Amino acid sequence: MSHHLIGLLNSPFITTLLATHSLTIAGLALTAVCAPTARRRQAALKALAVLLGRPPRPRI
């Protein structure tokens, strides 16, 4: 099983997919912290939650 997983991770397609996903997460996290308006920060936090498989936090 682990041999198959290592072989899968050595695939150029999977490596590119993981790198792209990681850069997307990093960009959204940076936007959630540094965005000039609260509306943009909230939108970035919602998108980040969806990409990480978590339900977005309800508005208070």
Side-chain angles (χ1 to χ4, degrees):
M1 175 75 178
S2 66
H3 179 67
H4 179 68
L5 182 61
I6 292 171
L8 186 63
L9 289 174
N10 283 333
S11 164
F13 174 74
I14 297 298
T15 303
T16 303
L17 186 66
L18 286 172
T20 303
H21 181 72
S22 297
L23 288 173
T24 302
I25 296 295
L28 280 170
L30 189 60
T31 301
V33 172
C34 298
T37 63
R39 186 174 294 197
R40 286 186 68 188
R41 287 191 299 270
Q42 287 298 320
L45 284 172
K46 283 183 181 181
L48 193 58
V50 169
L51 283 174
L52 294 176
R54 298 179 182 170
R57 292 187 312 182
R59 287 191 127 163
I60 297 174

